[in-house]
Amino acid sequence: MSRAAIADKIMPMPKGDKLIVLAAGLLLLGLGALPFLAPALIVDKMIMLFILIIFAVMWNLLAGYAGLISVGQQAFVGLGGYAMVRMVDAGLPPFPAIFVAALVTGALAFVLSLFVLRMKAGEFAIATWVIAEVIRAIVSFDPIVQGETGTSVVALNAYAPEMRRMTIYLLALVSMAGAVWGTWALLKGRTGAEAQAIRDDEDAAASVGISTFRVKQRIYILASVGCALAGTLWLASSITFQPRTGFGIQWSIFMLFMVLVGGIGTFIGPILGALLFFALQEIFGDFGAWYLAGLGLVAILFALYLPRGIVGLWLDRGYNEPLSMRRRLKLPRG
Amino acid sequence: MLEAILQGVLLGGYYAVLAAGLSLMFGVVRFINLAHGDMAVLGAMLALWLVQVMGLNVPMAIALTLPAMGAIGWLLQRLIFERALRGGFLIPILTTIGLAATLQNGMFAAFGSDTKSLGAHIGSLSWASWHLPGDIFLGKLPVYMFLTALVVLGGLHLILTRTGFGRAVRATASDPEAAALCGIDARRVHRGAAAIAVALAGLAGIFLALRAQVTPFSGPMMLIFAFEAVVIGGIGSLRGTLIGGIALGLAQAMGGMISPQFSILAGHCLFLAILALRMTEAAASERGGWRNTLTAVLFNRSQIKGRLS
C-alpha cells in the first residue's frame, strides 16, 4: 500500500494536539530569548530542567515504547562525560565536544547492544547496571580521571562566564528540542509502530515480519546517545567530572521517577514528570535525605495506585491521550 | 594464594545467604525485589541499634532482629508486593526502586552516614584466627559465618523438601494454578516466602556488619552481589545459590590478589562472562549444538541434521 493510501485510512491529528504543538513551538521561541532577559541563576536552573527533560524522554523511549527497562543508563551519562573529558584533553574545543562525545558513546552503545539486547527482561535490567559499574571502574583506572577524585574540563574556564552560560543554555535548549522532536518523528514513523508492537507482544510482532532485534537496537542506541548528550551538557554546566557521580545509579532513578510519575508510554507524560520533578527539587530539595526518601514514597504510591501517572488521571476521565503515538483508523464508509 | 582461595570460599557463604532470599522471591513469588540489599542493611541497622542503643549483647540482638525482619517481609508482601505483582513486570521494578530510595535515605536521615560495625561488640572474635600449617591464618569469624550459612541454607532446604509448607512453596513455584486447584492458598505461601527472604537478607546484613562496616547506602552494592551469585549459580536451586556465592567470593578474592580495585570488578566480569556464555550456548543449541554452529559460521554452510531448513 502506498504512503498516501495508508495516510487516507488514519485519522488526522486532533485539533487539541495541533494546539499543543503550536504552543510548544511558541514556548521554544520564548525560551530562546530567555537568557537575554533572565538572571544567571534562572538560566542555570533552566539548563538543568532541559537536561532532565532529555533524560525523561530518552528513558521513556526505551522503557515506555520499546519495553526495555534499564537501570543502567548512567553508563552512557558517565561515558559521555568521560569521552568529553578525553576529547577536550586531546585538543577539541569543548562546545563541539559536547556533541561529538555523545555520538562516540553511541558507537559503544552499538557494541553493547549486541550483548544486552539478547537478555531476558530481568537480566537486562540488572546486567545494564553491572555494566555501568564495570565501565565506571575501568574509567577510574584512567590516570586523567584521577580515580575517585575526578577531573575538571578546565578548557571551559577560558570562556567568559556570561558567554559560557548563554552558549550552554542555547545548546541545551536545542538538544532538548531536538530530543523531543526526534522522538516524535521516530515514534510517528515506522519504527515507533514496530517498537510498540514489540513492547506489547514480541512474539506476535516477530510473526508479522518485524525485525525485533533491529528495532530494539535502533531505540537502544538512540536513547544512549540522548543520555550521553544530557551527560555532556551536564558536565559542561558543572565542569567537574567524578566517576561516582557521572556513573551514579541516581541518574537512572531520576529518569524512572520522572517517567513513572508523568505517565510511562505516553509522549507528553515524561515531560510533565520532568517539570514536576524539577519543581519538587526546587521546593523540597533543601530537606536532603528526607526529600529523597519522600520521592521514593511518591514513586511507590504512583506505581501502586496511579501506574499510568499524571496522564493516567486524564485518561481515566475518558479523554483521549494528548499527543498520542497510537494510530486511530477511520471507520470504513458505507 | 591458598589463603585467598580459602577466604574466597568463606566469603561465598555470606553471598549465598544474601542471594538465597532474592532467589526464593524470584523463584516462588516471581518477584524481583530491587530493595533486597537495602533490606539487608535494614537488618544490620536494627541489630546495631539493639546493641548500641538498647545495650543488648550480639547473639540476643540477632535473635530479635531475624524474626522482626521476617515480620517486615510478611508485611511488605501483604501491603506492597501483592499489589505490585498485579502490574506485570514493570510495576514491581518501579515499586521496589522507590522502596530502595525510601529505605536508603530514611536510614541515612535516621542513623546518619557514618560507617557502623558490630565488630567492636564481639570481643576478640573479630580478629581471632587459627594458624594452619603452611603459614595460613584462617579467621575464626569467617569460618563461623560460613558454617552458619551452611546450617541456614541446609535448614531451608529441609523446610522446602520435608514440610507441608515447603511442599506448598514448591507446588506454587512450579505451577500456581494447579497448586491453587489442590487447595493451596498462594497468597499465604507468598507471604511466608517473603518473610523467609527478608529474614535471610537481614542475616546477610548482620554478617556484613560483623565482618566489615555498613552504611545506609551499602544496599545497592549488596543487591548487585546477590544478583550475581543468583545468576552465576542458576536461579531456583539452593545448591546453585551456594555454588554461585562461592564462585563470586572466589572471583573477588582472586581479583583482590592483583589489586584491591580489581576485587569487585572480577566478580562483575565473572557474572557478565557467565551471562554471555549462557547466551551463546542457547544460540548454539538452537542451531543444533556447538559443532554445527561452528561449521555453519566457519564454512558458511549448515549441516543441521534432522531439521528442516
Side-chain angles (χ1 to χ4, degrees):
Chain A
M1 223 185 308
S2 72
R3 252 166 183 273
I6 296 176
D8 205 37
K9 288 190 191 281
I10 295 176
M11 298 262 265
M13 199 196 234
K15 240 189 203 134
D17 285 10
K18 284 185 182 158
L19 276 177
I20 297 177
V21 173
L22 187 71
L26 289 176
L27 186 65
L28 278 179
L29 284 181
L31 284 173
L34 182 100
F36 303 97
L37 311 166
L41 185 70
I42 303 278
V43 176
D44 277 338
K45 297 230 182 267
M46 292 305 283
I47 295 174
M48 197 58 211
L49 175 63
F50 297 156
I51 291 172
L52 289 176
I53 293 179
I54 299 177
F55 276 140
V57 168
M58 288 302 141
W59 201 79
N60 184 45
L61 184 64
L62 201 60
Y65 285 104
L68 294 167
I69 296 155
S70 161
V71 251
Q73 286 307 97
Q74 66 272 23
F76 303 110
V77 182
L79 263 177
Y82 171 68
M84 180 168 159
V85 165
R86 265 280 163 206
M87 282 171 187
V88 171
D89 186 63
L92 196 68
F95 293 126
I98 290 177
F99 295 99
V100 181
L103 288 177
V104 168
T105 308
L108 210 104
F110 168 76
V111 177
L112 279 178
S113 74
L114 299 176
F115 177 45
V116 295
L117 291 181
R118 295 203 160 87
M119 292 175 193
K120 285 174 245 150
E123 290 173 351
F124 176 80
I126 300 301
T128 47
W129 183 8
V130 172
I131 288 170
E133 287 292 312
V134 169
I135 297 175
R136 175 175 70 80
I138 295 171
V139 164
S140 311
F141 287 136
D142 186 341
I144 198 178
V145 177
Q146 305 173 51
E148 290 302 328
T149 327
T151 182
S152 299
V153 188
V154 195
L156 279 167
N157 290 334
Y159 302 90
E162 267 313 303
M163 186 271 181
R164 191 176 72 211
R165 180 174 296 113
M166 190 100 73
T167 315
I168 295 173
Y169 175 90
L170 291 174
L171 290 178
L173 178 65
V174 168
S175 304
M176 185 270 284
V180 172
W181 179 80
T183 317
W184 169 279
L186 182 84
L187 290 173
K188 279 287 183 191
R190 190 188 172 94
T191 305
E194 288 176 334
Q196 290 177 71
I198 295 172
R199 173 199 61 189
D200 294 339
D201 190 333
E202 185 157 352
D203 293 331
S207 77
V208 293
I210 295 174
S211 168
T212 57
F213 188 83
R214 289 247 181 87
V215 173
K216 285 198 282 186
Q217 191 178 37
R218 210 172 296 153
I219 289 193
Y220 181 76
I221 294 171
L222 276 175
S224 306
V225 172
C227 286
L229 182 59
T232 53
L233 285 166
W234 183 73
L235 175 60
S237 67
S238 71
I239 294 182
T240 318
F241 176 78
Q242 277 179 315
R244 203 162 281 284
T245 343
F247 289 96
I249 178 84
Q250 83 276 3
W251 295 119
S252 279
I253 294 178
F254 292 165
M255 292 180 215
L256 199 144
F257 181 86
M258 293 185 284
V259 173
L260 169 71
V261 167
I264 188 164
T266 65
F267 189 80
I268 206 166
I271 301 172
L272 295 178
L275 285 170
L276 183 79
F277 179 68
F278 179 74
L280 285 176
Q281 196 149 17
E282 287 308 308
I283 301 168
F284 300 109
D286 293 339
F287 290 95
W290 287 118
Y291 155 70
L292 291 168
L295 276 189
L297 268 184
V298 172
I300 297 175
L301 291 176
F302 263 92
L304 292 183
Y305 296 99
L306 207 58
R308 291 195 295 172
I310 301 172
V311 175
L313 282 176
W314 182 257
L315 299 177
D316 288 343
R317 305 242 160 103
Y319 296 107
N320 287 332
E321 180 197 334
L323 301 184
S324 174
M325 292 296 132
R326 290 166 203 278
R327 286 150 185 78
R328 287 174 180 283
L329 295 180
K330 285 179 188 163
L331 281 176
R333 263 177 236 132
Chain B
M1 182 73 184
L2 193 61
E3 198 165 332
I5 291 177
L6 278 174
Q7 273 165 3
V9 171
L10 294 180
L11 189 60
Y14 151 67
Y15 286 141
V17 172
L18 185 60
L22 195 73
S23 178
L24 191 69
M25 277 304 273
F26 188 75
V28 178
V29 195
R30 308 256 169 241
F31 190 83
I32 299 180
N33 181 7
L34 292 186
H36 190 74
D38 306 294
M39 295 286 149
V41 177
L42 182 66
M45 290 290 175
L46 202 57
L48 275 160
W49 181 77
L50 286 172
V51 170
Q52 290 177 340
V53 180
M54 304 303 285
L56 297 180
N57 60 20
V58 173
M60 197 56 195
I62 296 176
L64 284 178
T65 303
L66 294 184
M69 292 303 289
I72 290 174
W74 192 92
L75 279 175
L76 280 174
Q77 177 68 28
R78 169 83 184 71
L79 299 175
I80 298 181
F81 297 169
E82 260 170 33
R83 214 187 151 87
L85 266 167
R86 287 183 232 150
F89 175 73
L90 181 65
I91 296 299
I93 287 202
L94 300 177
T95 314
T96 51
I97 281 198
L99 183 63
T102 309
L103 278 173
Q104 284 161 24
N105 294 292
M107 285 190 288
F108 171 71
F111 300 112
S113 68
D114 318 341
T115 56
K116 292 169 190 286
S117 174
L118 280 169
H121 302 280
I122 48 173
S124 65
L125 188 59
S126 53
W127 69 83
S129 62
W130 289 293
H131 190 176
L132 301 183
D135 230 17
I136 292 170
F137 286 93
L138 198 59
K140 287 185 180 177
L141 181 65
V143 172
Y144 291 147
M145 286 190 337
F146 185 75
L147 293 176
T148 314
L150 286 186
V151 169
V152 167
L153 293 179
L156 188 59
H157 179 73
L158 285 180
I159 290 177
L160 286 177
T161 49
R162 299 289 157 88
T163 66
F165 172 72
R167 268 193 296 280
V169 167
R170 283 182 296 136
T172 314
S174 63
D175 191 337
E177 281 165 17
L181 283 176
C182 300
I184 292 172
D185 183 353
R187 286 195 306 178
R188 273 187 58 196
V189 169
H190 287 175
R191 286 171 198 168
I196 295 176
V198 172
L200 283 172
L203 180 63
I206 292 169
F207 278 179
L208 180 67
L210 284 169
R211 54 173 277 271
Q213 296 95 29
V214 280
T215 78
F217 298 104
S218 305
M221 223 3 125
M222 293 180 84
L223 174 72
I224 288 189
F225 293 155
F227 253 104
E228 289 177 342
V230 169
V231 169
I232 292 170
I235 291 167
S237 99
L238 279 176
R239 198 189 300 138
T241 308
L242 185 61
I243 293 170
I246 290 174
L248 180 65
L250 275 174
Q252 290 188 350
M254 297 286 132
M257 280 174 60
I258 305 170
S259 128
Q261 293 145 309
F262 273 110
S263 166
I264 289 172
L265 193 58
H268 292 337
C269 290
L270 176 68
F271 162 76
L272 293 175
I274 297 269
L275 265 184
L277 186 71
R278 292 235 175 92
M279 269 180 339
T280 43
E281 226 170 36
S285 77
E286 243 173 49
R287 296 191 172 89
W290 281 109
R291 182 175 297 176
N292 282 331
T293 309
L294 272 182
T295 34
V297 171
L298 291 178
F299 306 109
N300 198 19
R301 64 170 179 230
S302 79
Q303 297 183 328
I304 301 169
K305 286 165 194 157
R307 271 189 69 178
L308 298 172
S309 72

